[in-house]
Amino acid sequence: MKVNKDDVIKIAHLARLELKEEKIQDMQDSINKVLDWMEALNAVDTSSVEPLVHMTPALNHFREDQAKSMLDRQKALKLGPDTNESYFKVPQVIE
């Protein structure tokens, strides 16, 4: 499958790209190279290859989710620039 100039213009329009006239031929060549590469990949026999879910066999080893008290509330409030007894004070963002 090869794309022509009209195909490139249509693809650019759908992608909301503005292509200058001198770049259309370059884009057409690039798209045709990708399509040629895809055709070469389609010619490879992959019937004996299992589909991959992940690129590596490594698995995630998640730790148990355990709640811990990491920082005392009063110590945390002392770190803030403007606080009251229980909360950080921030500028109002909703009118």
Side-chain angles (χ1 to χ4, degrees), residues 51-63:
L52 291 176
V53 176
H54 297 286
M55 294 305 294
T56 63
L59 298 173
N60 287 333
H61 297 284
F62 295 110
R63 62 175 171 78

